[in-house]
């Protein structure tokens, strides 16, 4: 018989037999765990971090292009 456990990511009650959380998709079963360094894009903190990183990279590219064209 399965017990109810708390999902480590979203905190919802799920079956101890579940492979992943039906609410947030977090992998629960250790045999099916995510590879090291995998990012859960459903987690708002990770999503915001990726968006900010992309914006910073684009800003650096635009600044470099602007500097290069001004020096010609």
């Amino acid at each position: 018989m399965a017990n109810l456990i708390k999902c480590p990511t979203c905190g919802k009650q799920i079956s101890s037999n579940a492979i992943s959380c039906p609410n947030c998709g977090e992998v629960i079963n250790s045999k099916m765990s995510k590879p090291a360094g995998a990012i859960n894009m459903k987690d708002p903190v990770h999503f915001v971090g990726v968006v900010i990183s992309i914006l910073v990279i684009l800003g650096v590219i635009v600044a470099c292009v602007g500097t290069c064209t001004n020096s010609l």
Side-chain angles (χ1 to χ4, degrees), residues 1-31:
M1 183 172 165
N3 296 326
L4 290 179
I5 60 171
K6 185 186 280 190
C7 172
T9 301
C10 69
K12 297 282 185 180
Q13 293 287 322
I14 59 172
S15 169
S16 61
N17 292 338
I19 294 173
S20 65
C21 176
N23 184 56
C24 69
E26 178 69 25
V27 176
I28 305 299
N29 189 341
S30 62
K31 290 183 266 183

Side-chain angles (χ1 to χ4, degrees), residues 11-65:
K12 297 282 185 180
Q13 293 287 322
I14 59 172
S15 169
S16 61
N17 292 338
I19 294 173
S20 65
C21 176
N23 184 56
C24 69
E26 178 69 25
V27 176
I28 305 299
N29 189 341
S30 62
K31 290 183 266 183
M32 302 278 298
S33 64
K34 291 188 256 180
I39 296 175
N40 180 4
M41 290 304 288
K42 292 182 180 179
D43 183 5
V45 174
H46 288 129
F47 181 74
V48 170
V50 169
V51 170
I52 290 173
S53 298
I54 291 170
L55 291 175
V56 167
I57 292 169
L58 288 174
V60 169
I61 292 170
V62 168
C64 288
V65 168

